Amino acid sequence: MTDNKTADNSTNKQVHGFKAEVAQLLKLMIHSLYSNREIFLRELVSNASDAIDKLRFATLKSPELLGQDQTFRIQINADETARTLTISDNGIGMNQDEVLNNLGTIARSGTREFFTQLSGDQQKDAQLIGQFGVGFYSAFIVADKVVVNTRRADAKASDAICWTSNGEGEFTIEPISKDQRGTEVVLHLRSDSEFDTFLSSWQLKSLIRKYSDHISVPIEMREEKWDETEKKMLSTDAWQAVNEASALWTRNKNDVTPEQYQAFYQHISHDQEPALSYSHSRVEGRSEYTLLLFVPKKAPFDLWDRSQRHGLKLYVKRVFIMDDADKLLPTYLRFVRGVIDSADLPLNVSRELLQESRDVKTIREGATKKILSVLEEMANDKDGINDDTRYHDFWQEFGQVLKEGVGEDHSNRERLQKLLRFASTRNDDAAQTVSLADYVARMKHGQEKIYYVTADSYLAARNSPHLEVFKKKDIEVLLLSERVDEWMLSFLNEFDGKELVSVAKGGLDLGALSDESDKKAQELAQSSHKAVVEHFQTVLEDKVSSVRVTLRLTDSPACLVASEDGMSNHLQRILKSAGQAAPVTKPILEINPNHPLVAALTEQTQGLDDWAWLLFEEAQLAEGGSIENPAHFVARVNKLLLHRV
């Protein structure tokens, strides 16, 4: 677990060196985050609360772990004389191996990700501490020595462990005797007067109410009474709860302030930002459960790792059961944070039972509908009205994830379609602000289809040659450039009775938007370019399924299109880049008869083979693809240029 270990045989004390990443973290804590030093209390109280939740869960199978100590609590005690601050709990506690695992290294949260997220902004860097599970080390922001006395709930008093460190590269562990289960963290505060504030009971109570009021365990401090002799407030032996000490989700929502909701969200998510929106509701009927769900403002660092468990905290009758209960929401809503408290699930529910439970299915459906309602509420308050840009902010962070739901959640597909946002040719930037409803409302008279183009980037989509005739006729086209788009489109075939059609697939059919002159011009072009088309078809027979003239182009000499039922060239490139086998399909080469270069070929008898290859490879490049033999392409271009010089 650690880099090295030595032993003092006379005292059974072991000296360990921190792992390298912990030493780096401690340096950050001590030297970079003084301006946010109060966060240490939030993190240590949160750890104490988690330890109590773990013991609650353990007692479902082993109630004897509670012994005579049946009341859970967290206690905070400041000693001005000794300059110590002690945070203690009667939770699960730790044994020696757990102390080494939890306090000697940064655990599963991901050291590398933590350090790569650091920005140099003290406020933001400080908030990352909790998100990555390294909150304990924030104690060294205010303390030059930290002592942890801990005894696991199933251990004897003589099996307790003492962990000590000054945060300078080493820590010691030694056996001690501890009468009560749980963990006691003793902070020896730095001598600078600026740290005196953390010895003030008034200041400590203020911080507890600010950061930890929502915690359902009583957070106790010693009562104070005025001492006439000393002329100051002195602590007594009696303890009193400082926080509300009731599960926030069990309260009537009319009794909970927005500030309390946001504090609770930041507690369970370790997020530096407040939530964009939240929903608190109680469901009664065949299934009875309480929902407290939050939509974050920023995406977590591991959002795109679908193998990670992303879910909600599950409680059964207010008893904590598990973190990240991923079966309570569909995967595409994995960004949602919050709590679900069920009155119907068994207390011994496991992840396997969650997958099979009918009650869980009911909760999942209810929670999904509630979150979609929250998103709809944000989306319906148009950007610019009431200065509410929440849905725009949400889409910037989570739009790609929500698109997954179109294929994964058939029962809510119609609701999800209305929440989708896209870039389009109507706007001058890449902002995805156009809904399908917006598009349909703006469709030209006689337009029957919703047109879109897919590409590897926004610029590639914006400048696709397939858009040329649509620009000429002022027909709006949606610009799709995210990898999830092609997959989503396989499930998104129509909206409001309008078929979604790729401008890069099949023959160009603008329906009532075409006029007779367009059709006659195409027929004439087919006839006048017949020889060129047939020659190109012969030369490129291994690369294209056919060659034909088209009126979809106005500026480009040629483009590639997929057949009506074939896989798009863009999707083929995505599959190949991901190392997946793509079916072998040949595109169609369309040439623009009105382009001067193509028009000149009708009178040319020499070099048509080179021109066929050149137009084919140019079309590949224009849509973001790559050519098979770049050297031959360059040689061919040089050869044709020499003929023109």
Side-chain angles (χ1 to χ4, degrees):
M1 281 300 155
T2 52
D3 294 329
N4 53 68
K5 177 179 73 174
T6 60
D8 183 334
N9 293 329
S10 62
T11 63
N12 292 322
K13 181 184 295 185
Q14 297 178 359
V15 181
H16 298 256
F18 282 116
K19 298 284 273 189
E21 64 271 17
V22 178
Q24 185 180 356
L25 176 65
L26 289 172
K27 184 177 180 181
L28 170 72
M29 297 291 183
I30 296 169
H31 299 290
S32 302
L33 297 178
Y34 276 163
S35 64
N36 301 282
R37 53 183 177 264
E38 66 185 33
I39 64 168
F40 82 92
L41 190 62
R42 177 196 69 187
E43 295 302 324
L44 295 181
V45 170
S46 181
N47 289 348
S49 174
D50 289 345
I52 290 172
D53 280 343
K54 290 175 182 177
L55 180 57
R56 276 190 177 131
F57 182 61
T59 57
L60 297 178
K61 292 183 177 179
S62 306
E64 69 279 3
L65 291 175
L66 287 180
Q68 300 300 312
D69 190 0
Q70 300 279 321
T71 304
F72 292 118
R73 62 194 173 276
I74 298 169
Q75 294 184 330
I76 298 177
N77 188 38
D79 186 328
E80 291 187 35
T81 303
R83 289 189 63 80
T84 60
L85 180 65
T86 302
I87 298 96
S88 60
D89 66 73
N90 59 345
I92 192 71
M94 294 180 283
N95 58 29
Q96 180 167 316
D97 288 341
E98 289 167 329
V99 167
L100 287 169
N101 284 334
N102 296 332
L103 306 186
T105 186
I106 302 177
R108 64 184 181 277
S109 300
T111 311
R112 180 180 303 172
E113 290 85 352
F114 172 78
F115 286 112
T116 58
Q117 293 286 320
L118 296 179
S119 64
D121 183 313
Q122 291 185 355
Q123 181 68 34
K124 292 181 179 179
D125 292 350
Q127 299 293 349
L128 288 172
I129 291 169
Q131 179 180 345
F132 286 83
V134 294
F136 167 75
Y137 301 110
S138 64
F140 288 99
I141 296 175
V142 299
D144 53 18
K145 178 183 177 182
V146 177
V147 178
V148 179
N149 300 314
T150 183
R151 171 189 155 192
R152 192 170 167 82
D154 56 3
K156 297 180 295 184
S158 59
D159 290 334
I161 297 294
C162 175
W163 179 99
T164 306
S165 178
N166 60 9
E168 295 181 356
E170 292 183 339
F171 63 90
T172 64
I173 59 172
E174 59 182 314
I176 59 170
S177 180
K178 187 174 186 294
D179 293 336
Q180 302 295 324
R181 68 167 187 267
T183 300
E184 177 185 76
V185 181
V186 183
L187 309 182
H188 294 259
L189 298 182
R190 298 179 184 278
S191 57
D192 306 48
S193 59
E194 61 185 303
F195 297 101
D196 292 351
T197 183
F198 301 115
L199 295 171
S200 161
S201 61
W202 178 87
Q203 179 68 16
L204 290 171
K205 290 176 182 178
S206 176
L207 291 176
I208 291 169
R209 293 186 180 115
K210 176 180 179 181
Y211 289 117
S212 308
D213 195 52
H214 52 272
I215 288 179
S216 58
V217 180
I219 303 173
E220 300 177 344
M221 291 185 64
R222 292 189 184 276
E223 289 186 5
E224 291 184 314
K225 290 186 177 180
W226 179 259
D227 187 283
E228 191 60 37
T229 303
E230 296 284 341
K231 300 297 182 182
K232 65 178 182 179
M233 299 293 289
L234 294 180
S235 297
T236 69
D237 292 334
W239 295 86
Q240 65 177 159
V242 179
N243 63 326
E244 187 76 20
S246 64
L248 183 138
W249 63 89
T250 64
R251 304 182 208 168
N252 187 307
K253 62 183 179 181
N254 295 325
D255 298 330
V256 184
T257 66
E259 292 76 18
Q260 289 173 318
Y261 278 123
Q262 294 291 4
F264 180 74
Y265 164 72
Q266 292 180 318
H267 164 67
I268 62 173
S269 67
H270 300 292
D271 194 351
Q272 65 178 9
E273 301 276 0
L276 270 179
S277 189
Y278 53 84
S279 175
H280 185 189
S281 60
R282 181 178 179 83
V283 179
E284 297 178 334
R286 190 180 68 82
S287 290
E288 184 178 329
Y289 56 92
T290 299
L291 298 169
L292 179 52
L293 307 176
F294 297 87
V295 177
K297 190 173 184 179
K298 294 292 183 182
F301 76 100
D302 57 351
L303 179 67
W304 303 110
D305 186 354
R306 288 173 61 94
S307 64
Q308 290 285 340
R309 283 198 176 105
H310 296 274
L312 307 172
K313 290 181 179 289
L314 174 63
Y315 288 75
V316 174
K317 299 174 183 175
R318 305 185 191 179
V319 176
F320 174 75
I321 302 299
M322 68 179 71
D323 274 314
D324 298 329
D326 52 333
K327 303 305 178 185
L328 298 177
L329 279 175
T331 307
Y332 73 90
L333 294 179
R334 58 187 178 272
F335 55 85
V336 175
R337 295 293 179 263
V339 167
I340 292 182
D341 192 342
S342 170
D344 303 312
L345 292 174
L347 287 172
N348 62 348
V349 66
S350 65
R351 291 191 183 274
E352 291 71 25
L353 288 175
L354 282 180
Q355 196 163 1
E356 302 168 359
S357 170
R358 292 170 59 182
D359 287 320
V360 168
K361 183 180 179 182
T362 300
I363 294 173
R364 176 188 173 104
E365 291 173 350
T368 300
K369 293 182 187 303
K370 184 60 67 174
I371 283 297
L372 293 181
S373 295
V374 170
L375 298 180
E376 288 165 347
E377 180 184 354
M378 289 194 292
N380 290 334
D381 203 346
K382 296 288 188 181
D383 291 353
I385 298 178
N386 300 328
D387 296 323
D388 190 350
T389 61
R390 288 180 302 160
Y391 195 72
H392 174 73
D393 295 339
F394 164 80
W395 189 260
Q396 292 288 100
E397 292 291 318
F398 303 106
Q400 292 188 58
V401 181
L402 200 67
K403 288 178 180 179
E404 296 173 9
V406 176
E408 294 179 358
D409 190 352
H410 178 76
S411 62
N412 289 302
R413 186 173 296 169
E414 288 189 14
R415 296 181 71 178
L416 287 166
Q417 288 176 358
K418 295 177 182 178
L419 291 168
L420 299 176
R421 296 293 183 269
F422 305 98
S424 93
T425 54
R426 183 177 182 271
N427 299 329
D428 295 327
D429 56 33
Q432 298 182 14
T433 58
V434 178
S435 70
L436 292 173
D438 293 336
Y439 183 101
V440 170
R442 291 195 294 263
M443 286 173 60
K444 295 178 72 68
H445 179 70
Q447 183 179 345
E448 300 174 350
K449 298 175 181 178
I450 299 172
Y451 296 104
Y452 68 86
V453 64
T454 59
D456 296 322
S457 67
Y458 167 75
L459 285 178
R462 183 87 193 182
N463 297 299
S464 171
H466 300 100
L467 299 180
E468 292 176 5
V469 72
F470 294 89
K471 292 177 182 177
K472 177 182 177 182
K473 292 183 176 292
D474 193 29
I475 302 172
E476 184 176 5
V477 178
L478 300 177
L479 307 176
L480 281 65
S481 57
E482 294 171 342
R483 294 177 72 90
V484 69
D485 288 333
E486 287 280 5
W487 180 83
M488 175 192 67
L489 288 166
S490 62
F491 302 95
L492 182 59
N493 302 313
E494 62 90 26
F495 176 81
D496 195 22
K498 311 292 184 182
E499 181 185 4
L500 271 76
V501 175
S502 169
V503 300
K505 292 181 71 172
L508 179 65
D509 180 13
L510 296 179
L513 298 176
S514 298
D515 52 40
E516 285 300 318
S517 62
D518 291 335
K519 297 176 182 177
K520 289 180 179 179
Q522 186 158 8
E523 291 173 0
L524 181 61
Q526 289 277 13
S527 175
S528 61
H529 288 74
K530 182 178 180 182
V532 173
V533 168
E534 290 178 349
H535 190 93
F536 278 22
Q537 179 72 63
T538 301
V539 173
L540 301 172
E541 62 179 345
D542 292 335
K543 297 296 182 182
V544 300
S545 60
S546 65
V547 181
R548 63 193 182 199
V549 297
T550 183
L551 295 182
R552 80 169 79 222
L553 301 174
T554 59
D555 301 317
S556 303
C559 69
L560 295 173
V561 299
S563 63
E564 194 72 42
D565 300 320
M567 180 180 292
S568 72
N569 299 326
H570 179 237
L571 181 54
Q572 289 186 53
R573 291 195 298 273
I574 289 177
L575 293 175
K576 288 178 181 177
S577 67
Q580 299 183 33
V584 179
T585 59
K586 295 179 182 179
I588 300 166
L589 177 66
E590 293 190 347
I591 57 176
N592 177 7
N594 297 318
H595 193 279
L597 186 59
V598 176
L601 295 180
T602 59
E603 302 175 0
Q604 189 164 331
T605 57
Q606 300 295 322
L608 280 179
D609 290 10
D610 288 330
W611 284 110
W613 280 107
L614 182 65
L615 292 181
F616 170 70
E617 290 172 334
E618 278 187 346
Q620 285 183 306
L621 293 173
E623 66 171 25
S626 59
I627 53 181
E628 195 172 287
N629 195 327
H632 285 186
F633 172 76
V634 172
R636 190 175 296 114
V637 170
N638 291 337
K639 178 182 176 181
L640 292 172
L641 286 173
L642 284 173
H643 283 296
R644 293 287 177 180
V645 175

